Structures are given as structure tokens and as C-alpha cells.
Amino acid sequence: EAEVAQSPRYKITEKSQAVAFWCDPISGHATLYWYRQILGQGPELLVQFQDESVVDDSQLPKDRFSAERLKGVDSTLKIQPAELGDSAMYLCASSQGLSLRSYEQYFGPGTRLTVT
Amino acid sequence: DAKTTQPPSMDCAEGRAANLPCNHSTISGNEYVYWYRQIHSQGPQYIIHGLKNNETNEMASLIITEDRKSSTLILPHATLRDTAVYYCIVLPTGTASKLTFGTGTRLQVTL
């Protein structure tokens, strides 16, 4: 069964450093999402792509976070500089996009970021 | 999107049915009820969704009240692997919509 791939699985970085996460969605999925999940809370959407275009980045802290999906396939989420409060699980998800099954999002295993 | 309310935690004995409630009293006519779950250290997983009729799939059953203000997710024979946080989410379908997760219900299945 196809899966969403994410790397790295774990990342420890010092504050003020730059960090990047990578996501490869399920082949053919047009919509890609990045969520952040703080311990004890539900995931919160950071950014949503439809193909290579950003559909929703209203919750993305744009002064330090950036996301791209240049060819409409895989995606990178970057934080620069990292802050202590960025410690969280970063989840990538994908869905078929504008189709009858667009409600079903498939999540990757996530990247657990610890900022020291 | 309509707000949902779920109990923070529930226990269930293995082999028994787990009934997880969700209140969504402000749901509107075009909004569906979705359920996802998140097993520890994994990403969330889609379980089931419905509009107004009861739904069943290989994972669970979803019972939605006639006034659509509440619903119940039923795991008919819970196993230890069903221990997870279960999220009830309400949103329109037909488009690729973002999921707004609350804090969910932590279901603990015990021997």
C-alpha cells in the first residue's frame, strides 16, 4: 500500500539554527498538507498545497517558516531560525485533491523536532 | 466549520464494543462528520465519515442522530491495537478541506 514518506524521523537542533523537513506524498495526490502537533494537542494545519500552489498558509509563521512544492510532487518545510517553541511533531499528509475521495487524508509518520 | 465536543478519555475492555461519542450541535446541512484516530507516535488515520445515514466499514460503524447534533463511533470488538486518540471532525466535503483537530478522546483498551 502506498504511503506518505517523511524524513528525517527525528531532528534535534539548537535554537537559531535552520532546519528542514521533507515529504513525499502518495503518487498522484494533488493536495499536500503540513501540520504541526504540539505534545498533548491535535495537529494544526500550517500550509496546504494544491499541486504547486499554496491554497492556505494562514497559520504559517511566515517570518521564520517557509514551504515549497516546486514541481507539485514532494515538498520541503523549512524553519529559520528555530525557536524553543517550535519543538513539536511535523506531519505531512496528502489527498487526491478535488475528487470524491478528497476527504481522506493520508498521513506520514511525522518528524519529531526538538529545539534545545 | 462546526465545533465538536468529545470526552477526554475512555476505557474499554478488549473484545467489548467501544462507543465513542461526539457532540456537534452547530453542524450545518452540508457538513459531514469525519473520524480519524492517531495511534501513539504515528500520524492520524482516516476511519469513517457520514452525512446523516449510519455508515459501516471494515474498521467501524458511525451512528448519527436524526437531528445530526451528535454521533457515536463504534468499534464493535475493541483490541489492544485500537488504543489511540480518536478525533471527531466536522467539515464540508467535495473539496480538499483542511482538518481542524480538537483534543479528541483517548481510548485505552485493556485486557
Side-chain angles (χ1 to χ4, degrees):
Chain A
E1 182 176 308
E3 296 179 342
V4 175
Q6 289 189 249
S7 66
R9 292 292 309 276
Y10 304 90
K11 180 69 178 179
I12 300 174
T13 190
E14 294 182 349
K15 64 179 181 178
S16 79
Q17 296 298 304
V19 63
F21 315 128
W22 177 79
C23 171
D24 191 11
I26 292 173
S27 179
H29 280 195
T31 309
L32 185 146
Y33 312 78
W34 283 101
Y35 291 84
R36 176 173 61 185
Q37 184 172 25
I38 296 171
L39 194 62
Q41 300 180 18
E44 176 188 18
L45 181 75
L46 291 175
V47 62
Q48 176 181 341
F49 289 91
Q50 182 66 29
D51 299 309
E52 67 276 8
S53 300
V54 173
V55 173
D56 183 351
D57 63 356
S58 57
Q59 299 303 311
L60 188 71
K62 299 180 187 63
D63 56 336
R64 298 184 300 107
F65 285 64
S66 65
E68 61 182 18
R69 193 184 184 199
L70 294 177
K71 297 183 179 179
V73 181
D74 59 338
S75 176
T76 302
L77 178 69
K78 297 179 181 178
I79 308 174
Q80 182 175 16
E83 296 181 352
L84 296 178
D86 296 331
S87 294
M89 176 76 84
Y90 290 81
L91 293 158
C92 179
S94 69
S95 69
Q96 293 186 18
L98 300 179
S99 73
L100 291 175
R101 294 188 66 86
S102 61
Y103 53 80
E104 188 169 351
Q105 294 186 20
Y106 295 83
F107 284 79
T111 296
R112 180 164 297 281
L113 173 67
T114 301
V115 181
T116 61
Chain B
D1 300 340
K3 181 178 173 60
T4 62
T5 303
Q6 299 178 253
S9 63
M10 295 182 64
D11 292 329
C12 179
E14 189 176 35
R16 298 284 193 175
N19 298 293
L20 293 93
C22 179
N23 287 320
H24 32 78
S25 58
T26 61
I27 191 171
S28 59
N30 69 336
E31 290 182 315
Y32 285 61
V33 180
Y34 296 81
W35 284 84
Y36 277 73
R37 74 179 181 183
Q38 187 171 23
I39 296 171
H40 183 62
S41 297
Q42 298 182 20
Q45 175 192 23
Y46 165 82
I47 302 173
I48 198 168
H49 79 290
L51 182 63
K52 56 182 179 180
N53 298 318
N54 298 338
E55 302 288 344
T56 297
N57 63 19
E58 65 278 5
M59 291 182 67
S61 294
L62 175 59
I63 309 298
I64 303 174
T65 58
E66 190 170 346
D67 63 7
R68 302 208 323 122
K69 293 184 177 181
S70 66
S71 60
T72 301
L73 178 74
I74 301 172
L75 307 178
H77 305 288
T79 71
L80 296 177
R81 289 181 294 180
D82 293 320
T83 293
V85 178
Y86 288 77
Y87 297 99
C88 170
I89 300 167
V90 171
L91 78 166
T93 192
T95 60
S97 300
K98 71 179 183 182
L99 297 172
T100 302
F101 293 85
T103 52
T105 295
R106 182 172 299 280
L107 175 68
Q108 180 69 51
V109 181
T110 58
L111 290 172

